[in-house]
Amino acid sequence: MNLKKGLVVGIGALLLLGGTYQIQTAHAADNPQTVVAKEHKGKKFEKLSKYQEQIHQVNQLREERLDLKKQMVEKKDQLIDLFLTAKKSGNKEALKQVKESKKQLKTKNGELKALLTKGKDERKALKEAVKAGDATEQFNKVIAVQKQVNEKMKEQLALLDQMLASLK
């Protein structure tokens, strides 16, 4: 008997919610603000169409950065295994070389962090410049920072390669 009551109450609740949803969607269709929002988005994409090449270049640099990041993760994973093996075997000379490279890597990480913060600020300024209508110079700044970030990551990969070579 309790199951039947629960089923009836559940169906009733669904009917009430369905009716409420229908009223809200009907009201939203009559609302002229949704049309204004669609027109606004059209203008935004119209402004961005001027900078299509720069957008593609920024996206390509982002893809490169993500590939570099993936390589770094793979090398760090290998490094952990080799480090533990060297630690167990007592290879102190290799561990000293790794320690020196690790210090260099730490400084590179600080430099990279500063560049990433600068890139974030440049992207915020880019957003404002696109709203204003002239973002060519700002796109060039964003692209330059992205290139610097990728170069810094390549330097880090070289250090990781050096650390891997010293542990092998």
Side-chain angles (χ1 to χ4, degrees):
M1 194 65 161
N2 286 337
L3 181 62
K4 289 181 183 178
K5 287 181 184 178
L7 190 59
V8 170
V9 170
I11 290 173
L14 285 174
L15 288 174
L16 281 173
L17 289 174
T20 305
Y21 177 73
Q22 185 62 31
I23 291 169
Q24 288 177 351
T25 55
H27 179 67
D30 297 334
N31 193 351
Q33 288 180 340
T34 57
V35 176
V36 173
K38 288 181 182 177
E39 290 175 6
H40 176 69
K41 286 187 179 189
K43 289 180 182 178
K44 180 180 178 183
F45 289 121
E46 192 174 298
K47 287 180 182 179
L48 286 175
S49 66
K50 293 187 242 180
Y51 308 109
Q52 190 173 5
E53 289 180 30
Q54 288 95 340
I55 292 171
H56 288 305
Q57 190 174 1
V58 168
N59 287 338
Q60 184 179 11
L61 289 168
R62 286 177 61 202
E63 283 180 25
E64 183 182 345
R65 187 187 82 228
L66 291 173
D67 288 338
L68 292 170
K69 194 171 185 176
K70 182 180 175 183
Q71 291 175 18
M72 287 178 68
V73 169
E74 291 170 353
K75 290 183 185 211
K76 285 179 180 180
D77 187 48
Q78 293 173 1
L79 192 61
I80 288 171
D81 293 337
L82 291 173
F83 184 78
L84 291 175
T85 304
K87 191 85 168 172
K88 286 180 184 176
S89 67
N91 191 352
K92 291 183 180 185
E93 184 178 319
L95 292 175
K96 283 182 182 180
Q97 290 175 352
V98 168
K99 192 172 184 178
E100 293 297 321
S101 297
K102 195 172 181 181
K103 287 179 184 178
Q104 292 175 357
L105 189 62
K106 190 172 182 177
T107 59
K108 298 283 182 200
N109 283 338
E111 295 169 4
L112 180 64
K113 190 173 183 178
L115 281 173
L116 289 173
T117 303
K118 182 179 178 184
K120 186 177 180 181
D121 295 339
E122 292 295 337
R123 286 190 303 276
K124 285 181 183 177
L126 173 66
K127 188 175 182 179
E128 295 300 319
V130 168
K131 285 182 184 178
D134 185 34
T136 305
E137 183 180 328
Q138 198 60 41
F139 264 113
N140 291 336
K141 289 180 181 179
V142 168
I143 290 169
V145 171
Q146 286 284 344
K147 286 180 180 179
Q148 289 175 347
V149 166
N150 289 350
E151 289 302 315
K152 194 61 66 179
M153 290 182 81
K154 287 177 184 175
E155 291 174 12
Q156 286 181 325
L157 280 173
L159 282 172
L160 288 172
D161 284 336
Q162 181 182 352
M163 291 169 74
L164 286 170
S166 65
L167 286 175
K168 287 185 179 180

